[in-house]
Amino acid sequence: MSFKILALSTATESCSVALLNNDKIYTRIQMNTAKKQNSNCIIILINEVLKITNCKLIDVDAIAVSIGPGNFTSIRIGISVVQGLALDRITKIVCISTLQILAYSALRNKNNIYGGVLTAINARIGEIYWGEYQLDQVNNLLSLKEDTAERVLSPNDAIERIKLLKNKIKWLPAGNSWNTYPCLCYDEGHNLSLNGSSIVEIPLAEDMIPIAKIALQKGDFVKPENIQAVYLRNNIVHKK
């Protein structure tokens, strides 16, 4: 009997759902939902992937959810939907950073010339949600660069971070901030070769599946009531 994982990515302007069933990933996505996203939209996508796989929610072994950073309302809606779906039926919830999902989405189907991904999501008010994910070539895993953390930066501060990165690693940019702030790619103050075209801007639920599988193997999951959102900004109240 195959392990079934349901994944929800709702923290940005789009919503996507994926289901791992019989070692195959089925997906659904709704674009540009930031202003109209609600739980009904997510439930519809979930029902669609369950229907095409002939699965029922009770068959799902674990749920992966994007916990931010990103749009405050969208994060809360995603978490609330997961908590409602799980109830007493599903107790294994894998919480995944939006920036980590984005890094995997960007690197998927790329050749191995890239050593890492610089993730930058527009945080509004002239700020960026920033993360530096480095690739372990042996295990093909992406993790936060050593001695770094996800953070909120201004575009100028992000450029200063880029200046400090070693150019022996080829970095792949990902996220919508690279097009919002073109200076990130083309500032003359850093010597990294960052291609500003064809940038992956949306974290996709299908790229949560390999992350969730590894987390489950390590026992890195929580109960539904213990899901914690990640906002990065100190002036946002953390709610359960």
Side-chain angles (χ1 to χ4, degrees):
M1 184 176 180
S2 65
F3 200 74
K4 297 177 176 60
I5 302 174
L6 179 66
L8 282 69
S9 177
T10 65
T12 62
E13 62 269 24
S14 298
C15 170
S16 64
V17 171
L19 177 66
L20 174 68
N21 182 38
N22 292 324
D23 296 320
K24 184 176 180 181
I25 298 175
Y26 300 83
T27 65
R28 286 292 185 270
I29 184 170
Q30 178 67 48
M31 302 293 292
N32 302 318
T33 59
K35 293 183 179 180
K36 58 183 179 180
Q37 183 164 289
N38 54 53
S39 57
N40 289 335
C41 171
I42 302 170
I43 294 297
I44 289 172
L45 298 182
I46 293 172
N47 286 337
E48 287 180 359
V49 294
L50 290 174
K51 182 177 180 179
I52 62 176
T53 56
N54 292 317
C55 286
K56 297 179 180 179
L57 187 59
I58 197 172
D59 299 324
V60 174
D61 299 289
I63 300 178
V65 59
S66 57
I67 56 171
N71 180 278
F72 175 85
T73 302
S74 298
I75 294 170
R76 295 309 314 164
I77 289 174
I79 291 175
S80 296
V81 167
V82 169
Q83 291 174 326
L85 292 175
L87 294 176
D88 297 326
R89 293 168 293 187
I90 304 170
T91 58
K92 295 180 179 179
I93 308 297
V94 179
C95 301
I96 307 177
S97 160
T98 310
L99 296 177
Q100 185 181 16
I101 303 165
L102 183 61
Y104 269 82
S105 295
L107 208 57
R108 177 164 42 94
N109 299 327
K110 298 289 184 182
N111 55 39
N112 59 6
I113 65 172
Y114 292 102
V117 183
L118 301 178
T119 55
I121 295 177
N122 189 1
R124 312 300 178 188
I125 62 174
E127 292 181 327
I128 296 168
Y129 296 125
W130 178 265
E132 300 161 15
Y133 280 86
Q134 201 160 338
L135 180 65
D136 178 347
Q137 297 283 3
V138 176
N139 299 309
N140 200 32
L141 300 176
L142 279 168
S143 57
L144 276 172
K145 188 173 177 291
E146 187 176 356
D147 299 325
T148 69
E150 296 180 345
R151 66 193 77 179
V152 178
L153 296 178
S154 69
N156 287 337
D157 287 339
I159 291 173
E160 292 303 312
R161 276 299 309 163
I162 296 172
K163 291 179 183 179
L164 298 176
L165 297 175
K166 296 179 180 180
N167 58 11
K168 67 179 180 180
I169 296 176
K170 190 172 181 63
W171 294 91
L172 180 67
N176 57 12
S177 284
W178 298 94
N179 286 322
T180 303
Y181 304 103
C183 59
L184 295 178
C185 283
Y186 306 113
D187 187 273
E188 296 179 356
H190 66 71
N191 59 358
L192 297 185
S193 177
L194 296 173
N195 184 0
S197 63
S198 303
I199 291 177
V200 172
E201 296 191 354
I202 299 171
L204 297 173
E206 61 193 280
D207 296 304
M208 300 170 68
I209 299 296
I211 305 173
K213 290 172 69 175
I214 294 170
L216 289 166
Q217 290 171 1
K218 294 180 178 179
D220 188 11
F221 52 83
V222 300
K223 293 182 178 179
E225 62 269 24
N226 293 329
I227 301 173
Q228 293 287 335
V230 174
Y231 302 115
L232 294 186
R233 283 201 178 108
N234 292 330
N235 61 337
I236 293 180
V237 177
H238 291 245
K239 299 180 180 179
K240 293 184 68 174

